[in-house]
Amino acid sequence: ASRTSSRIGFLHLRSVTLTAPRQTHDLITLDSSITPNTSLWNALLENYRLLGAFPDALRVWDTMYISRVFDRASVNIILTTCREAGGVDMAQQIKTKLERTGFTFDNYNWKAWITCLCDAGRMNDALRYMCTVVKNPDPEMAHIILARLKPDIKPNVMAAIQKHQPKLHDALLQ
């Protein structure tokens, strides 16, 4: 089969595959006898993410956010969804709204946010967050940034880490 016919077949399959999550979404949204918990919403959100259905995932997130039925995993899923869809601006809006409500990121959430920034080419912002906003960044967080840098830039980044997060710098050298 040609490459074009394979893609057309996949697009048809994607449409069919999206039917079940959309029906589930409609059911839990419209049936007042169903009270979905965070786990169910997260599963639906993750399904939309895996299927590349960014608008559908945003609709689920909006429902979760308005209902205050979300957790740290939900935040990671929506930030990852935004990153994969190239929606760093939407991720920024979500992060800002969360901060206004008093939600505090843990390192798990910060890693998702920093990865989002890095994949959008906003390396300076990612480094700034890690060095000046995150309370206790870990080596994995630093590796998210370092792995995406050109080798000639890494010494400057390590110097910034040493200046702002000396414990992290020491951990990276071990």
Side-chain angles (χ1 to χ4, degrees), residues 9-80:
F10 174 74
L11 290 175
H12 172 71
L13 181 61
R14 182 175 175 271
S15 174
V16 170
T17 307
L18 274 170
T19 301
R22 284 181 176 154
Q23 287 174 342
T24 302
H25 189 185
D26 290 345
L27 180 66
I28 63 176
T29 304
L30 300 174
D31 188 336
S32 61
S33 68
I34 299 173
T35 306
N37 62 18
T38 306
S39 296
L40 178 59
W41 284 119
N42 283 350
L44 187 58
L45 192 60
E46 180 69 6
N47 269 290
Y48 282 141
R49 182 191 75 77
L50 292 170
L51 292 168
F54 186 51
D56 293 294
L58 288 176
R59 283 189 308 118
V60 170
W61 170 255
D62 286 342
T63 301
M64 294 172 75
Y65 179 79
I66 290 166
S67 309
R68 298 292 190 257
V69 183
F70 62 88
D71 58 14
R72 298 190 181 290
S74 315
V75 172
N76 266 42
I77 295 167
I78 195 60
L79 291 177
T80 301

Side-chain angles (χ1 to χ4, degrees), residues 151-165:
D152 60 322
I153 297 174
K154 287 182 182 182
N156 294 338
V157 170
M158 287 297 289
I161 293 171
Q162 183 177 24
K163 177 180 177 182
H164 297 284
Q165 293 286 348

